Amino acid sequence: MTQDTFPIRRIDHIRFYVGNARQSAFFYRHLLGFSVSQFHGLETGLKHEVDYLVEQNKIRFLFSAPVRPGHPIAEQLAVHGDHVQDIAFEVDDVDWSFNTAVARGATPAREPFTLSDEQGEVRLASIKIYGDTIHTFINRDKFKGHFLPRFVSREEPGVPAGLIEVDHCVGNVELGAMNHWVQWYQDVLGFTQLMSFDDKDISTEYTALMSKVMSGGDGRVKFPINEPAEGKKKSQIDEFLEFFGGPGVQHIALRTDDIVGTVSELRRRGLQFLRVPKTYYDDLPARVGKIDEDLEELQDLGVLVDRDDEGYLLQIFSKPITDRPTLFFEIIERKGAKSFGKGNFKALFEAIEREQAVRGTL
Ligand code: FE2
């Protein structure tokens, strides 16, 4: 199998550049149930930046913000707003991963380097992907600490909302760039293409997009890549590219084993989700057959259902979590299905278009 040509243990963490990391940590703790667990900043000797690590089960998000003028993070924030800057992979051998990726055509972002303190050392290196986004390779086999050297623990537990791990992470790229990145993930990181959708699958009266799903790390890492297709009006991908200032990460899907419990709790805490019309549920039993969940409960929450050859999945999408209509979250529960909810695309995109119309960007 081609994915064995580039061993990746898992997504280690996702790093966000934000304007105010303290407030982001608070938001993720109180709204999404993350615990604030690690900190590095002025008080720990970091002079120009502050970093907060938040965790829930296997999910780790790192929020980084500049604390002085003229910081490179501030320049990227001016272009993109708060955004996902790095999807970091834990690997067996950072130097091998970096050198192999670069030999296969990746552009270096940071040459291999070591961070150390009295707890040991961590090796890191990064390569560029679309836009200003990067993949960092990280190995902490020689480190006894929790996350990275010089970070200190911070005990601010959240009340978990049942979020378990990152299921997939979606990138939006420019028209014509999707196949370039599909090829890049195949050539550089040995990923395979799981599935593809074209504008016949994913179109509404007004907008269309194309998508290919890349998978690596023995199936543990799944990255759909979207590009806009010609439609009558501006597609949600075009809207993203305009407001983001180029290609970037559009949504992160977080997996739960109890979507009804998770979404009820997130709604109660104030996270806003996209709504589909009530008519979506009329033909649902005919489309997906028998499911374990109570249909009325799903309808109350706005949870969507789709079936494939292997089972079914339940999913729901948040509204954008930033000022710009860019980054949002998907909550997903898998009951055997390994796909991405193709049967929901139309209802979903019509819901997004209603939001776009309100923003005046359709
Ligand atoms: Fe998704």
Side-chain angles (χ1 to χ4, degrees), residues 167-170 224 250-253 315 317 328 330 332 340:
D167 184 90
H168 61 274
C169 203
V170 179
Q250 176 212 40
H251 77 263
I252 299 169
Q315 63 186 168
F317 297 81
F328 59 88
E330 171 181 350
I332 186 166
F340 296 85

Side-chain angles (χ1 to χ4, degrees), residues 139-153:
N139 181 283
R140 56 172 78 76
D141 289 353
K142 293 181 187 161
F143 184 59
K144 290 194 202 72
H146 183 64
F147 183 61
L148 284 178
R150 290 176 237 165
F151 276 67
V152 294
S153 19

